[in-house]
Amino acid sequence: MPFRQLVALGLLCALLPLHHGAPGPEGTAPDPAHYRERVKAMFYHAYDSYLENAFPYDELRPLTCDGHDTWGSFSLTLIDALDTLLILGNVSEFQRVVEVLQDNVDFDIDVNASVFETNIRVVGGLLSAHLLSKKAGVEVEAGWPCSGPLLRMAEEAARKLLPAFQTPTGMPYGTVNLLHGVNPGETPVTCTAGIGTFIVEFATLSSLTGDPVFEDVARVALTRLWESRSDIGLVGNHIDVLTGKWVAQDSGIGAGVDSYFEYLVKGAILLQDKKLMAMFLEYNKAIRNYTRFDDWYLWVQMYKGTVSMPVFQSLEAYWPGLQSLIGDIDNAMRTFLNYYTVWKQFGGLPEFYNIPQGYTVEKREGYPLRPELIESAMYLYRATGDPTLLELGRDAVESIEKISKVECGFATIKDLRDHKLDNRMESFFLAETVKYLYLLFDPANFIHNNGSTFDAVITPYGECILGAGGYIFNTEAHPIDPAALHCCRRLKEEQWEVEDLMREFYSLKRKRSRFQKKTMSSGPWQPPTGPGSLSSPENQDQAREKSAKQKIPLLSCPSQPFTSKLALLGQVFLDSS
């Protein structure tokens, strides 16, 4: 039977049970205020259970009411939940946790940590909390947001990850020992997402601290992945970071690849970088050509484009939200509705779903309370206002509470077929799942600010505008204020301006000199161009290009036009290029 007929048959099987149920109580759309309070209660049931039973371990084990370390012994759930506290309006607990983290978290430990997970959860969580501190009523130090204890913690954690990037390709190892660096026997095989998911956090860190090393290594890793794509424009799942050869050649938008594509888009928006967006748009063409079938996305061989796995993975459910950020709303909604049928079939998204058969895949029947479909619903609801998206939020609250809630928190669902539970509550439940649910039902939240309110802060480099909206979520749902990246750059921009004036001055002087030919024979005047110098030709060109684009006084705070913001409202890049 042709594949498209199999897909159609699978969809029919998935849809049949849905004809017997109403879309909501008495057919009405869910009440946002009611579900907002339900979500808040979910958060505190899980959060309080973690504090009482698991802190200072990384995560809660809800069935045995105790804790365990999973990603590095960072009190990870506390870091991951910090900005969610503020989004829910709890400033006093936010302030208390900031002090607890400063007193208790230590990165000088002999622990093998995931480079990817440490970045998105720890570095991202600390950066977000740092940038939200003033809004949360924390007494910030002079020079904030260009300095502060949480920023210093984020920088310390990120520096522990830098040895992983010291490879012949510039692509990082997957694991690093926080005390000793990369272990001699460490495997060189890293997943694509583990290489391409750093630009949001590392560029933010470089902008706030003035140290370019973080953004530099993130950009090199992105470039190497781009250069490693196949002739048909696809990337595989795992690559050898020493040789640059692909180890796993399955190509798709899900596990092992997902946040690479996400960070090309979000990095482009955060940094106003057209090259990153151009990379994603090229990938998007190849993805549509080779992996898309009837608004589903399959796994294919990266060099041939032939189907290797006709499955949907729960991690792929971020894709409609990402499509909304580039304004592709119609395709996003169609794909979202496909994924929503799977949720309705099981009360959650199984890790793998066989599309032709319309059922789970053996040993991949679990649902660890992942946020991706809820994340897409939140983005799309901001873009469309379609009440169907609120229905997904309602279904998520009802099913998670019914299936997953236990005395000490919420447990991973081991098998969606019989609702057996597993003894784990991952930190992303509080960082992402609950947060996106709450924001879906809370249209007035400060995260959704349209620029009508803002805070003016004084930095060592002049006045800066923060909190005006357009927050960019990292892949762990930690919001970054893009305006903050401009708050600590003035000194560099002033130096570029002075250097341009000096070049102009020396050029005029040479022209007026009676010894012009002699002066010119030694070449035009150039500032020092040593490693890292702001006067290097590359940085000079970037400065001139930036100055020409912005056309704003260098000592004023840059203001992004509305269409250039993330804003959660659909079309972002209107330039056809």
Side-chain angles (χ1 to χ4, degrees), residues 12 31 46 64 81 117 137 179 189 238 247 250 263 275 283 297 301 309 336 381 404 415 417 444 499-500 523 561 568:
L12 179 61
D31 175 23
T64 52
E117 298 289 355
L179 200 58
V189 177
H238 285 75
V247 176
D250 292 310
Y263 270 41
K275 289 183 179 179
Y283 279 130
Y297 292 84
Q301 210 281 340
M309 292 188 294
F336 175 87
Y381 187 66
S404 173
D415 192 328
R417 298 171 302 174
E499 290 169 356
D500 282 338
L568 313 181

Side-chain angles (χ1 to χ4, degrees), residues 77 191 241 287 430 498:
T77 295
C191 71
V241 300
I287 288 166
L430 293 180
V498 170

Side-chain angles (χ1 to χ4, degrees), residues 428-441:
F428 61 65
F429 178 66
L430 293 180
E432 299 184 79
T433 308
V434 171
K435 181 183 295 165
Y436 285 131
L437 270 174
Y438 191 79
L439 289 173
L440 174 63
F441 291 117

Side-chain angles (χ1 to χ4, degrees), residues 213-383:
V213 66
F214 303 105
E215 182 173 346
D216 288 348
V217 299
R219 283 189 178 276
V220 168
L222 286 175
T223 300
R224 294 297 175 264
L225 279 176
W226 172 250
E227 293 170 348
S228 301
R229 71 195 188 282
S230 70
D231 290 340
I232 61 174
L234 297 174
V235 290
N237 199 269
H238 285 75
I239 195 169
D240 188 313
V241 300
L242 299 182
T243 65
K245 293 183 179 179
W246 289 102
V247 176
Q249 298 181 2
D250 292 310
S251 185
I253 61 171
V257 185
D258 48 5
S259 50
Y260 169 46
F261 295 138
E262 179 186 355
Y263 270 41
L264 288 176
V265 173
K266 292 182 176 179
I269 298 169
L270 180 70
L271 304 172
Q272 292 296 284
D273 190 314
K274 291 185 177 181
K275 289 183 179 179
L276 294 181
M277 182 58 78
M279 289 181 188
F280 174 78
L281 293 177
E282 281 299 307
Y283 279 130
N284 197 32
K285 291 178 184 176
I287 288 166
R288 284 187 175 187
N289 287 340
Y290 295 102
T291 76
R292 180 182 174 186
F293 293 85
D294 295 332
D295 298 312
W296 294 92
Y297 292 84
L298 313 180
W299 288 83
V300 302
Q301 210 281 340
M302 65 176 288
Y303 293 104
K304 301 176 182 178
T306 53
V307 175
S308 58
M309 292 188 294
V311 299
F312 156 65
Q313 298 177 347
S314 61
L315 283 169
E316 297 171 15
Y318 79 99
W319 189 255
L322 192 64
Q323 287 177 302
S324 78
L325 294 183
I326 62 169
D328 193 6
I329 302 299
D330 290 342
N331 285 320
M333 280 298 295
R334 285 196 293 269
T335 298
F336 175 87
L337 291 173
N338 276 351
Y339 298 168
Y340 188 17
T341 63
V342 180
W343 183 289
K344 286 190 172 186
Q345 187 178 357
F346 296 99
L349 290 185
E351 293 287 72
F352 279 36
Y353 179 82
N354 187 304
I355 300 170
Q357 295 178 5
Y359 208 65
T360 59
V361 175
E362 187 178 0
K363 297 182 180 179
R364 294 290 187 273
E365 304 94 348
Y367 171 55
L369 310 182
R370 291 197 187 278
E372 283 76 16
L373 189 63
I374 301 163
E375 172 187 0
S376 287
M378 190 274 290
Y379 278 107
L380 285 168
Y381 187 66
R382 298 300 300 171

Side-chain angles (χ1 to χ4, degrees), residues 97-108:
V97 171
V98 166
E99 295 182 2
V100 169
L101 292 177
Q102 292 178 59
D103 294 339
N104 291 278
V105 175
D106 181 14
F107 299 115
D108 268 330

Side-chain angles (χ1 to χ4, degrees), residues 387-421:
T388 302
L389 300 154
L390 293 182
E391 292 176 16
L392 177 277
R394 174 204 62 203
D395 291 351
V397 172
E398 298 292 350
S399 63
I400 290 172
E401 283 201 330
K402 180 178 180 180
I403 301 171
S404 173
K405 186 175 182 180
V406 294
E407 183 179 353
C408 295
F410 292 86
T412 288
I413 300 167
K414 188 175 183 178
D415 192 328
L416 279 167
R417 298 171 302 174
D418 56 17
H419 299 165
K420 288 182 180 177
L421 300 179

Side-chain angles (χ1 to χ4, degrees), residues 52-115:
E52 293 169 9
N53 301 287
F55 177 79
Y57 292 104
D58 277 344
E59 291 180 354
L60 169 69
R61 296 201 300 177
L63 301 184
T64 52
C65 297
D66 56 9
H68 64 150
D69 285 331
T70 53
W71 296 112
S73 191
F74 306 126
S75 299
L76 190 59
T77 295
L78 204 57
I79 295 175
D80 249 353
L82 185 50
D83 50 42
T84 309
L85 284 166
L86 182 59
I87 286 172
L88 267 59
N90 193 338
V91 296
S92 60
E93 181 64 3
F94 183 101
Q95 295 167 11
R96 186 190 74 83
V97 171
V98 166
E99 295 182 2
V100 169
L101 292 177
Q102 292 178 59
D103 294 339
N104 291 278
V105 175
D106 181 14
F107 299 115
D108 268 330
I109 51 178
D110 188 5
V111 166
N112 295 324
S114 163
V115 179

